[in-house]
Amino acid sequence: MEKVIRRRFGLLLALTLPIWSVQGEQAPTDDLPDFNVVPENAARAVLLHAATPECDTVRSCLSIGAVQPRARGDYEILLSSNQYADQTPTIITEEGTPLTWLRSSSSASWSNGTMTRICRHFYRFAPAKKGEYRFRCRNLSFDGVAYDGVLTIQVGAPELNAVPTFLLWVAGIGCLLLVEVFIRIGCRNEARVDTAGFIRRHRRLPLNAEGAWAHYLLPIMLLYLPLFLALITLTGMASISTNVLLWTSGICVPVAFVLFRLQYRRLFFLWRKTVLPPERIDALLGERAEQYDWTIDHMDRDFFVAHTHPAWWSATWGEQIFVAHDRGGIWINSINDLGKRSSIVSFGYTRRNIRRVTEAITAQEKDIHSPI
């Protein structure tokens, strides 16, 4: 089972590394004009000027907030100025094609008796492919003075951009199915073994495919999160930068590995040496099940399984208790219930279940050895 999870880590890295290498090109920011009509998050902006310098009194610019515009994504082009334009909203064109106007807003502030006004007009920019795009205003004027300027944007796109969207989704779903196949192959032997015998040999609880999904669900989802973000970026559903993908993968993958190790260690049993015969231990387990409202799922001369029924205000969905008989003692373990929702924390309930079993055996051993 551990080898299966390691292969999944390798599969995730193999899928995400090519995605990082094909992200869009970053727009240069060295020519940002330094005045208050430019939004702070503008990645690229250009100042608009009047044809004659002496008439150039209005501050106006075109800008885009996306650091890395990519094909098949939606972005906003912003026209901002400190004065109302003669025509509102102004027509913004890309190679002669008008952009779709989204909304307009304006604000004003007073400082030292002077009013500062900012007028903003937002337009939708949806590039279909990678390349260079040039934007300019059509018939932009302030008090009859024409203003003009060109905002140039370099749009990057991965080579996968030529692949139809449905094929990318098929590939993503195929990765899920591939991991399902790996888990079923890795668990096929454990699903068929004698549970008590497996515990005696390996000191660990065997898992079938359903149990593995329930026990390792959170680390598996953490592994798929970077892949999912990359997928929705490639399909144009969202625009996520390379840095975000790198940080997400850099956090999710190590955390998933740590959680996997913790969940794997919780499958191991605790050895309790005892002189009590198996029949007496089974009787004690039956008494504890009745006392603590455990439901016995299985009980024979080799193996005991029960599950709890937590109250609705309990912090967990419930636990399972496992006891395997062995020569000279028993193997004991308790984990979160594999038949319910996945959980990685037990808030001490699993340790409490183990303690209840060991305390019952200890008390019975004291009764046997106490003088009459």
Side-chain angles (χ1 to χ4, degrees):
M1 185 62 208
E2 188 173 8
K3 293 181 180 179
V4 174
I5 303 297
R6 288 177 179 174
R7 291 171 186 169
R8 191 180 305 121
F9 275 96
L11 177 63
L12 174 71
L13 294 176
L15 289 171
T16 53
L17 285 176
I19 292 172
W20 298 336
S21 64
V22 294
Q23 292 298 308
E25 303 173 13
Q26 182 173 349
T29 59
D30 53 356
D31 60 346
L32 294 181
D34 184 18
F35 52 84
N36 56 8
V37 296
V38 179
E40 294 181 356
N41 63 340
R44 184 68 187 268
V46 64
L47 179 63
L48 306 181
H49 294 284
T52 54
E54 59 270 18
C55 298
D56 195 359
T57 59
V58 178
R59 297 175 176 178
S60 179
C61 79
L62 278 174
S63 63
I64 184 172
V67 177
Q68 294 178 319
R70 299 179 59 256
R72 290 196 295 203
D74 286 344
Y75 306 94
E76 288 185 348
I77 299 296
L78 171 62
L79 170 63
S80 55
S81 62
N82 65 342
Q83 183 176 322
Y84 288 114
D86 295 341
Q87 177 182 344
T88 303
T90 303
I91 299 176
I92 306 296
T93 63
E94 187 278 311
E95 298 296 340
T97 303
L99 299 183
T100 302
W101 172 79
L102 297 176
R103 63 189 184 279
S104 297
S105 65
S106 64
S107 61
S109 62
W110 287 87
S111 177
N112 298 326
T114 303
M115 184 183 70
T116 301
R117 182 186 304 277
I118 302 295
C119 303
R120 299 181 178 89
H121 306 281
F122 298 86
Y123 303 81
R124 177 182 296 156
F125 168 48
K129 58 183 180 180
K130 59 187 277 188
E132 185 178 86
Y133 289 81
R134 298 165 60 87
F135 304 91
R136 66 191 316 154
C137 301
R138 179 188 297 174
N139 301 327
L140 174 64
S141 62
F142 299 93
D143 295 331
V145 178
Y147 279 71
D148 195 12
V150 178
L151 172 64
T152 303
I153 296 173
Q154 189 69 30
V155 174
E159 295 178 1
L160 290 176
N161 206 36
V163 180
T165 300
F166 81 92
L167 288 182
L168 293 174
W169 281 114
V170 168
I173 296 174
C175 291
L176 287 171
L177 296 178
L178 185 61
V179 172
E180 171 71 15
V181 171
F182 283 163
I183 290 178
R184 291 196 173 275
I185 293 176
C187 296
R188 70 184 186 279
N189 293 329
E190 294 187 14
R192 302 171 184 173
V193 298
D194 173 63
T195 304
F198 185 91
I199 294 171
R200 296 189 192 104
R201 292 191 304 272
H202 302 282
R203 304 178 183 180
R204 177 176 63 85
L205 182 69
L207 295 178
N208 56 18
E210 290 74 18
W213 273 108
H215 195 63
Y216 296 108
L217 181 61
L218 182 57
I220 291 174
M221 291 299 101
L222 285 176
L223 287 175
Y224 275 118
L225 180 59
L227 180 61
F228 176 75
L229 294 179
L231 184 63
I232 63 176
T233 301
L234 291 175
T235 55
M237 296 179 61
S239 177
I240 303 175
S241 66
T242 303
N243 290 335
V244 173
L245 283 176
L246 286 172
W247 275 104
T248 303
S249 301
I251 294 174
C252 289
V253 174
V255 171
F257 181 77
V258 171
L259 292 178
F260 161 72
R261 295 297 300 177
L262 290 175
Q263 290 295 86
Y264 183 72
R265 290 175 64 87
R266 286 169 179 159
L267 297 176
F268 284 85
F269 279 67
L270 173 69
W271 170 253
R272 176 61 166 83
K273 185 178 180 180
T274 180
V275 296
L276 297 179
E279 296 80 9
R280 185 53 191 154
I281 295 176
D282 288 341
L284 288 175
L285 294 175
E287 293 172 3
R288 288 301 176 269
E290 183 176 356
Q291 177 181 355
Y292 298 117
D293 191 28
W294 297 348
T295 295
I296 298 177
D297 302 315
H298 178 83
M299 177 185 285
D300 58 22
R301 58 183 299 178
D302 292 325
F303 197 47
F304 169 88
V305 184
H307 67 269
T308 64
H309 297 279
W312 63 271
W313 61 83
S314 176
T316 69
W317 305 110
E319 309 84 46
Q320 288 179 289
I321 302 95
F322 304 92
V323 178
H325 294 284
D326 201 353
R327 184 177 303 175
I330 58 173
W331 296 98
I332 311 171
N333 195 7
S334 179
I335 62 174
N336 292 315
D337 197 336
L338 297 175
K340 296 182 180 179
R341 298 181 184 180
S342 180
S343 178
I344 61 170
V345 291
S346 62
F347 299 97
Y349 288 106
T350 55
R351 292 193 298 270
R352 182 190 64 180
N353 296 331
I354 295 175
R355 186 175 64 252
R356 286 173 173 176
V357 174
T358 56
E359 287 177 351
I361 294 176
T362 302
Q364 185 64 34
E365 289 175 340
K366 289 182 179 179
D367 291 341
I368 294 177
H369 293 91
S370 61
I372 300 177

